[in-house]
Amino acid sequence: METTSRVGAQAPAAEGGQQLPSARRTVDGYLLAPFPWYGLDEAFTGPRWLMQVGAAADGAIEHGSVGHGDEPSVRSESTEDKERFAVVVTVAANPVRRSADGTGLMEATSVSSAAWLAGVGLLSFTWPGQMDHTLRDDWLDQQTETAWVLADDLAGSDWSTLSLPVDGVPTPFHYRESEFGWVLAGSTQEGVHVGAYGRGMSAYGLGFAMIKDIATYA
C-alpha cells in the first residue's frame, strides 16, 4: 500500500529518517480517520502513547499506530534486553479504488498490508549489533523487501496461527517471530485490519479492543 504523508502525529526525524518516539505528538490526525482505532485491551495497564498516522495523496487517513509499554529507541546492545513494548497498527479495509484526481487506482488493503506495516515498524526500531551506521540503510532496504515478501505470503511456513481476543471475540492472527521481535496481523469485525509488533512482551497474552477515546493516548 502506498502512503504519501503522515498527519497530526509527526515527530522530528531521527537518523535514517525514522521518527523519534519521544517527541510530542498530537491526536489531530487520528481524529480525521473515518474508521475505528485499535489498541491493547484493558488488561494492559501500562503506558499508552501515540505514534503516527499515514495518509493517501488526497489526505484521507489510511492507517496509524499506537504504542504500549516502553517507548522504543532504535535497538542497540544497551537497550535490546530492557525495552518492553507492543505497537498496534490499524489499517482501513479499502477495496481497489480510483485516486482522488481520477488518474489512477489506489491499491486495496488487506491483512497483508497490516502485516507489512507491522514488519517495517519493528525494523524501524532495530539496529543489528556490530553494524556500521553507513551499512544500516542497505540492511534496512533489504529487510524491508523481505518483510514485504513475508507479508505477501501469509500462508507460508514463516507464519503460524495465533488466536487472540478482539473486542472479546477469539480471532485468528498470522504470527511470526524473528531475532528482532514478533509480528502479527489479522482482521476485525469493524472493517479494519490490525497488525502488531513488539519486543520484550509476549504476544501470546495480548488482547485487542477498539479505542473508545484516542485522546487517552495523547
Side-chain angles (χ1 to χ4, degrees):
M1 63 184 294
E2 184 176 351
T3 298
T4 57
S5 64
R6 293 185 177 93
V7 179
Q10 274 285 57
E15 184 173 0
Q18 300 304 326
Q19 301 296 314
L20 285 174
S22 59
R24 184 174 180 84
R25 304 173 185 83
T26 68
V27 74
D28 298 359
Y30 293 86
L31 296 176
L32 296 174
F35 54 86
W37 296 104
Y38 272 78
L40 296 186
D41 62 19
E42 60 185 12
F44 176 79
T45 58
R48 298 172 183 253
W49 29 276
L50 299 176
M51 296 187 71
Q52 66 264 344
V53 298
D58 61 2
I61 303 301
E62 292 194 321
H63 61 83
S65 304
V66 294
H68 309 77
D70 301 325
E71 294 197 34
S73 55
V74 174
R75 181 184 181 186
S76 67
E77 293 179 356
S78 63
T79 63
E80 62 184 16
D81 295 325
K82 299 178 181 178
E83 294 176 342
R84 299 178 66 255
F85 68 90
V87 173
V88 179
V89 183
T90 305
V91 183
N94 290 323
V96 174
R97 61 206 187 282
R98 189 162 296 279
S99 60
D101 59 10
T103 59
L105 295 176
M106 304 288 287
E107 291 184 13
T109 59
S110 65
V111 177
S112 290
S113 306
W116 182 72
L117 287 168
V120 171
L122 180 61
L123 290 173
S124 69
F125 296 112
T126 299
W127 195 306
Q130 311 299 320
M131 179 171 286
D132 185 273
H133 288 218
T134 59
L135 297 178
R136 186 172 186 266
D137 285 345
D138 290 339
W139 176 87
L140 195 57
D141 287 343
Q142 181 185 53
Q143 294 298 315
T144 298
E145 177 63 25
T146 299
W148 172 252
V149 172
L150 288 170
D152 201 38
D153 185 24
L154 294 177
S157 59
D158 291 289
W159 297 89
S160 59
T161 300
L162 184 61
S163 180
L164 297 171
V166 178
D167 294 324
V169 179
T171 302
F173 283 86
H174 300 277
Y175 174 77
R176 68 178 176 88
E177 294 181 355
S178 74
E179 60 182 302
F180 311 122
W182 51 263
V183 172
L184 58 80
S187 295
T188 77
Q189 297 179 342
E190 298 297 327
V192 297
H193 307 297
V194 170
Y197 61 91
R199 194 159 53 228
M201 293 173 59
S202 172
Y204 287 84
L206 300 182
F208 303 95
M210 187 189 305
I211 299 172
K212 296 178 181 178
D213 181 6
I214 189 65
T216 60
Y217 278 74

